[in-house]
Amino acid sequence: MYLNDITQVLTMALRLLCFFGGGISGHWKSWSEKRQKHTLVFILAGFMFFLALKLGFGLFYTDYWEWETTSRFLSSPNANEIRDNSDDDLCDSFPSYHLSRVQVVLKVGSTEPPSRVDTHITTVTRCITNLIVFSDHESEIKGHRVHDILATLPDSFWGNTSDSQAYRALQHGEFETVESSQGWKLDRFKFLPMVERAYEMNPTAKWFVFLESDTYLVWDNLFRLLDQFNPSLPLYFGSPTSGKGHTFFAYGGSGFVLSTAAIQKLVARKVGSRSMYSQPLLNQRYEGLIKEDCCGDSVLGWAIYQSGVKLSGMWPMFNPHPLHGIPFNERHWCQPVISMHKLILEDMTELVRWERQRGRKFPLLYADLFEYTKLGTFEHKMNWDNGDWGGWQEPARSPAHRSLEACSKACYEHPKCFSYTYNDPGHCVFVPSIRLGAQKPATENTSRLSAGWDLDKIKQWRDTHKCRRPQWVKPSTDRIF
């Protein structure tokens, strides 16, 4: 029946064609009905073949590359040869020669905890010999000059505003009078001049890597990634966040990368008659937007977009989560880890040591980080919260809310619950990913929390998710945090 219906449709299409081609019509009418049907079936088979071929490309398309990459790090000693808790040799295998191509820029602020900045410079950026540090006050940290990047802004940026008052206080060393929230507001002024000044300071670099004092960066994976791309093309990598005018910008906390070609397009100024610039400097072009917007990474992303460069979204490799907040799942498993955000200082220190002990024969994957966290080896933790992100609560009448034991039992029985958090007043939160969470003792204003993990589901999930090769995600702004 279906073949006859299709035959009728194709016959009508051929008759229309015959209207414009008398010769074809004559041949068609001279054929027997059986031959006509065979011809139509042949045409239909060809059509279905090409349709299947087209759909097949979409069906077998993957949003990642399975590159065979090599590490730029030098061969490391065996784990047994590395002295426990010693940081003296952390940089022995670091490829310092590669920093002639890669300029690293660290953005800090005077209102940040000094311990956080110190820890970052002695761990994550310890081996970065060309490190440029930008802040809102001229100083020195661990032998690195700290450049006051806000000093490069014209006077028009500073009126009688809370921003200018806070900045002046910092210049007079009155750090205790500036609250951290005001320091965060000043931060938005740093992005555009930071990028422009970094390029001026090292115009021969091929790549510029920007990070913050609570950004953890896996240098080996970053170098492997950059080796796959041509820096003479305008490229902008990071974790995509929705920005102005339906565009996307790279979230600053996860770190971001710009090729030299991208920065050149960003800072370029139009030239008018007599070879004079007809455009103001980059900062002045976006002065109004900088003052209005909350976030400098958003303004930078918009300026880059207007220069003709779109963001290559690399989430989840560039990751806004801290280590304890990573939701281990299919999106966070076989993908290489390039960055994490808001790490606690202990994690920052221990991860650097663990990376060295682990070796760098293969890229560091989320599955490797899972092993580091020891998830799957403990079932319960008191005064702990792993349900503060990505979880959900069952309906209020659910027996899961009756007690910790009931919450645990309900999670085990729910096919999508891998872990849970229960608070004493009677709220059970299910978590659909394998997530570590963090310690959270009860206070006068907060209730006691307890967390648990379904070890059987976790083991089964791990057994069915073996990483054959690293999945280097392709640029996308559809895949977003």
Side-chain angles (χ1 to χ4, degrees):
M1 181 177 69
Y2 295 110
L3 180 59
N4 288 335
D5 291 341
I6 294 171
T7 301
Q8 291 176 13
V9 172
L10 289 176
T11 300
M12 291 178 62
L14 281 173
R15 284 174 178 171
L16 288 173
L17 182 62
C18 291
F19 179 80
F20 298 99
I24 297 176
S25 177
H27 283 292
W28 180 258
K29 292 178 179 178
S30 66
W31 291 349
S32 66
E33 183 177 351
K34 182 178 180 181
R35 186 178 182 185
Q36 288 179 354
K37 283 192 174 183
H38 286 170
T39 302
L40 291 173
V41 169
F42 178 79
I43 293 172
L44 176 62
F47 172 78
M48 295 301 292
F49 172 79
F50 285 109
L51 179 61
L53 193 63
K54 180 177 178 60
L55 291 175
F57 279 118
L59 184 63
F60 295 107
Y61 172 82
T62 58
D63 68 344
Y64 56 84
W65 292 291
E66 293 183 338
W67 292 324
E68 293 287 346
T69 61
T70 56
S71 176
R72 285 190 172 270
F73 278 68
L74 305 176
S75 298
S76 300
N78 294 327
N80 296 331
E81 300 176 10
I82 298 175
R83 296 186 296 276
D84 292 338
N85 298 323
S86 173
D87 295 337
D88 294 339
D89 52 4
L90 282 177
C91 299
D92 287 355
S93 62
F94 190 88
S96 300
Y97 69 92
H98 197 47
L99 297 178
S100 63
R101 292 174 53 85
V102 181
Q103 177 60 61
V104 181
V105 180
L106 174 64
K107 178 177 65 63
V108 301
S110 298
T111 60
E112 294 181 36
S115 58
R116 190 170 79 188
V117 180
D118 290 347
T119 299
H120 198 277
I121 290 181
T122 56
T123 57
V124 179
T125 47
R126 181 188 185 96
C127 308
I128 307 301
T129 54
N130 68 348
L131 184 66
I132 298 175
V133 185
F134 289 128
S135 185
D136 44 33
H137 180 260
E138 197 81 16
S139 62
E140 184 176 305
I141 302 176
K142 300 287 185 181
H144 294 279
R145 178 186 172 183
V146 179
H147 302 265
D148 178 10
I149 194 61
L150 300 187
T152 64
L153 295 175
D155 292 340
S156 58
F157 274 78
W158 312 111
N160 186 21
T161 64
S162 59
D163 291 324
S164 63
Q165 292 169 7
Y167 179 54
R168 292 191 190 100
L170 294 177
Q171 303 319 298
H172 289 96
E174 300 169 357
F175 304 111
E176 68 283 352
T177 66
V178 182
E179 297 182 358
S180 59
S181 58
Q182 186 58 57
W184 181 82
K185 288 182 64 179
L186 279 177
D187 192 69
R188 71 190 193 278
F189 292 99
K190 299 172 189 171
F191 281 81
L192 286 180
M194 170 183 73
V195 172
E196 189 166 23
R197 180 55 60 90
Y199 175 67
E200 291 173 352
M201 293 174 70
N202 189 4
T204 62
K206 306 300 182 183
W207 299 101
F208 289 79
V209 180
F210 298 87
L211 64 165
E212 302 180 0
S213 63
D214 55 358
T215 307
Y216 188 89
L217 210 137
V218 181
W219 296 109
D220 181 42
N221 283 354
L222 177 65
F223 294 158
R224 290 174 189 255
L225 174 73
L226 297 184
D227 280 345
Q228 313 307 314
F229 292 92
N230 183 353
S232 65
L233 299 176
L235 297 169
Y236 175 32
F237 297 148
S239 177
T241 303
S242 296
K244 182 179 172 63
H246 304 291
T247 64
F248 293 88
F249 65 91
Y251 175 56
S254 302
F256 60 93
V257 179
L258 286 166
S259 66
T260 299
I263 296 183
Q264 288 171 341
K265 287 179 70 70
L266 174 67
V267 302
R269 298 165 66 187
K270 293 180 180 179
V271 178
S273 60
R274 299 183 181 180
S275 301
M276 296 174 61
Y277 288 118
S278 59
Q279 270 186 318
L281 293 168
L282 179 64
N283 298 318
Q284 293 170 306
R285 271 181 267 164
Y286 292 93
E287 180 176 340
L289 183 58
I290 293 172
K291 292 177 179 177
E292 294 171 3
D293 205 303
C294 70
C295 307
D297 47 4
S298 171
V299 176
L300 174 63
W302 178 246
I304 293 173
Y305 175 80
Q306 288 200 311
S307 74
V309 181
K310 291 185 178 180
L311 173 67
S312 295
M314 293 290 191
W315 179 84
M317 297 194 302
F318 287 84
N319 182 12
H321 285 293
L323 174 65
H324 65 267
I326 295 172
F328 291 103
N329 52 26
E330 291 190 359
R331 285 293 193 189
H332 299 83
W333 196 248
C334 295
Q335 299 80 7
V337 184
I338 290 179
S339 69
M340 291 174 279
H341 186 218
K342 293 185 178 179
L343 267 70
I344 60 176
L345 302 188
E346 182 181 353
D347 285 341
M348 201 170 280
T349 301
E350 294 303 320
L351 269 174
V352 167
R353 294 171 181 164
W354 176 75
E355 267 200 81
R356 174 164 168 74
Q357 292 172 354
R358 170 186 170 272
R360 296 180 174 89
K361 183 177 180 181
F362 302 104
L364 173 63
L365 308 183
Y366 279 102
D368 301 315
L369 274 187
F370 181 93
E371 300 296 333
Y372 173 81
T373 65
K374 295 183 170 56
L375 276 163
T377 64
F378 45 82
E379 193 168 6
H380 301 287
K381 280 185 179 288
M382 306 301 289
N383 296 314
W384 201 268
D385 185 8
N386 67 2
D388 57 340
W389 185 91
W392 83 93
Q393 288 192 35
E394 292 290 274
R397 295 182 180 180
S398 169
H401 302 299
R402 293 175 184 171
S403 66
L404 173 60
E405 292 73 20
C407 180
S408 173
K409 182 176 183 293
C411 177
Y412 293 158
E413 293 175 351
H414 196 293
K416 294 185 179 180
C417 180
F418 283 87
S419 58
Y420 59 88
T421 293
Y422 181 82
N423 67 7
D424 280 345
H427 295 286
C428 178
V429 176
F430 289 174
V431 183
S433 60
I434 311 170
R435 193 169 180 268
L436 177 60
Q439 188 175 28
K440 195 170 183 180
T443 67
E444 293 181 1
N445 301 319
T446 61
S447 57
R448 182 179 179 182
L449 298 174
S450 301
W453 294 261
D454 187 335
L455 299 187
D456 290 337
K457 279 201 201 84
I458 292 173
K459 182 180 185 306
Q460 183 180 10
W461 194 91
R462 291 175 63 193
D463 290 344
T464 56
H465 289 77
K466 303 295 185 182
C467 295
R468 187 171 59 92
R469 288 193 181 96
Q471 297 177 1
W472 299 87
V473 299
K474 297 177 181 178
S476 172
T477 51
D478 293 325
R479 187 186 58 246
I480 188 170
F481 171 70

